Amino acid sequence: MEDNAPLLVIVDAANVVGSVPDGWWRDRRGAAERLRDRLAADGVPGHAGPVEIVLVVEGAARGVASVPGVRVEDAPGSGDDHMVDLVGRARGRDVLVVTADRELRRRVTESGAEVAGPRTVRPKG
């Protein structure tokens, strides 16, 4: 990849949405759409430069459409496996994976990605 490629930010939708007990479980797809829309509007706080945001959805949240600024990818199986694959395909790029899942954090850091917790992209409160 090119040295000037934007930071690739891979967001674990299930983990970020599940980090706040706001009733998301009643409408998983709607919760993923709200997260997508917030990412499209606000970007990734603390990263002022260009970023490429990929929101990975799985299970009942599959089928959420991409919007300008956020590419949504349906995980064909395990969301974690799909995110690890995305990190692997991004060789030579800076990658940030947003999740609190310990095992996923271990797997992606072994592949060279940085990690951040859900609060990175969730509003406070």
Side-chain angles (χ1 to χ4, degrees):
M1 289 279 173
E2 301 173 21
D3 288 339
N4 62 353
L7 173 68
L8 175 60
V9 180
I10 301 169
V11 179
D12 181 350
N15 190 268
V16 172
V17 165
S19 69
V20 177
D22 61 2
W24 59 264
W25 52 89
R26 291 188 292 269
D27 181 10
R28 293 169 195 258
R29 187 171 173 169
E33 288 171 339
R34 287 188 297 278
L35 175 57
R36 174 207 59 199
D37 293 347
R38 191 167 52 252
L39 290 166
D42 299 340
V44 181
H47 296 279
V51 295
E52 177 185 351
I53 302 172
V54 179
L55 181 65
V56 176
V57 295
E58 60 186 315
R62 284 189 184 108
V64 171
S66 295
V67 296
V70 180
R71 185 173 82 236
V72 180
E73 290 202 9
D74 291 344
S78 156
D80 289 5
D81 289 347
H82 189 66
M83 287 179 271
V84 170
D85 183 55
L86 288 172
V87 170
R89 286 190 268 151
R91 290 195 193 339
R93 274 183 87 171
D94 289 333
V95 180
L96 176 68
V97 177
V98 179
T99 186
D101 182 296
R102 286 186 187 138
E103 177 63 12
L104 177 58
R105 289 169 76 103
R106 182 193 64 76
R107 291 175 67 193
V108 298
T109 55
E110 286 177 354
S111 296
E114 297 292 322
V115 293
R119 288 182 182 177
T120 304
V121 295
R122 293 254 1 173
K124 296 199 165 131

